Amino acid sequence: DAGVTQSPTHLIKTRGQQVTLRCSPKSGHDTVSWYQQALGQGPQFIFQYYEEEERQRGNFPDRFSGHQFPNYSSELNVNALLLGDSALYLCASSPPDRGVKTQYFGPGTRLLVL
Amino acid sequence: KNQVEQSPQSLIILEGKNCTLQCNYTVSPFSNLRWYKQDTGRGPVSLTIMTFSENTKSNGRYTATLDADTKQSSLHITASQLSDSASYICVVSGGRNNRLAFGKGNQVVVIP
């Protein structure tokens, strides 16, 4: 059983470009959350998707958008990239609502904006 | 101000020694507290998860404690190994939207 997978593993972009990151949740999980982690910092919540809709959103601008597909996989899109968007982007999935849920994290996509 | 504060920010310990990491939080109402281990450049991996009624939980050489009254948690690593070198992140669930609040992590380096 594969855990949470993310692609690509690394990515280099230039300012102003757009990027799409992908995430496949752990088997049986239906909720996907995205986080941004700057070097030396804890992850910052971007948003969460459930039933193909954005359920919660953190304090990130509209340049950050997402999508969830019927198979529960998800994409994170970032438009008009800024240097400050350079970070490790983590995807986490969790199972259907059943009390306390543990989030399982993917390996992350490291984005470098030049 | 961050809702989850961890200390020390970083520490170096000798292989075989024990260490204790601290986590203080202000998240309210409280739902649960998790400790994650994150190797450099990798995603966090769950070590323990504790709810309000639990005050200690172990996972191998890792033992977490929780004092919900003082809003403090600790993670104790026993007989450290080189593979314990990582960032240990405290995550508290709760608040108005039941979100996860992340600490910045305790960076642990184990040296031979």
Side-chain angles (χ1 to χ4, degrees):
Chain A
D1 170 33
V4 180
T5 60
Q6 293 186 241
S7 64
T9 56
H10 296 81
L11 202 52
I12 300 176
K13 292 285 188 178
T14 57
R15 279 181 300 174
Q17 285 189 310
Q18 178 264 344
V19 68
T20 297
L21 310 181
R22 295 176 177 82
C23 171
S24 290
K26 186 175 169 62
S27 177
H29 288 192
D30 62 356
T31 302
V32 173
S33 303
W34 286 93
Y35 296 86
Q36 180 194 67
Q37 186 177 24
L39 202 61
Q41 302 293 314
Q44 298 292 316
F45 175 71
I46 302 176
F47 41 54
Q48 182 181 81
Y49 275 84
Y50 172 71
E51 291 189 343
E52 302 180 50
E53 290 192 358
E54 183 181 293
R55 183 158 69 170
Q56 287 187 356
R57 188 179 182 93
N59 189 26
F60 278 79
D62 292 343
R63 299 186 297 109
F64 290 77
S65 63
H67 189 78
Q68 186 178 35
F69 300 93
N71 65 353
Y72 306 119
S73 66
S74 177
E75 287 182 350
L76 163 65
N77 300 292
V78 187
N79 294 323
L81 284 167
L82 304 174
L83 296 180
D85 294 332
S86 296
L88 180 68
Y89 287 85
L90 295 165
C91 168
S93 72
S94 48
D97 279 315
R98 204 178 296 127
V100 176
K101 302 186 297 183
T102 293
Q103 283 196 332
Y104 291 80
F105 284 85
T109 293
R110 185 160 294 282
L111 172 65
L112 177 61
V113 182
L114 302 176
Chain B
K1 190 179 188 309
N2 200 13
Q3 291 185 296
V4 179
E5 297 285 350
Q6 293 187 240
S7 63
Q9 184 177 6
S10 61
L11 76 161
I12 300 173
I13 58 173
L14 289 174
E15 186 179 11
K17 298 296 185 182
N18 305 334
C19 71
T20 300
L21 313 175
Q22 299 291 343
C23 172
N24 297 335
Y25 63 91
T26 59
V27 176
S28 181
F30 171 83
S31 176
N32 58 76
L33 185 146
R34 312 146 190 245
W35 282 93
Y36 283 87
K37 177 187 178 188
Q38 185 175 24
D39 293 317
T40 302
R42 311 292 289 273
V45 174
S46 179
L47 293 176
T48 64
I49 180 168
M50 290 185 291
T51 58
F52 185 88
S53 59
E54 298 172 295
N55 55 23
T56 186
K57 183 167 280 190
S58 292
N59 178 359
R61 294 179 296 102
Y62 301 102
T63 299
T65 66
L66 171 65
D67 186 335
D69 291 331
T70 61
K71 298 186 176 181
Q72 295 180 329
S73 175
S74 66
L75 181 69
H76 187 76
I77 305 176
T78 303
S80 61
Q81 300 177 358
L82 298 179
S83 60
D84 293 331
S85 296
S87 177
Y88 292 84
I89 303 175
C90 176
V91 184
V92 181
S93 174
R96 199 157 39 91
N97 297 319
N98 202 31
R99 292 223 186 134
L100 299 182
F102 286 75
K104 293 184 178 181
N106 305 99
Q107 187 66 45
V108 174
V109 176
V110 181
I111 59 175

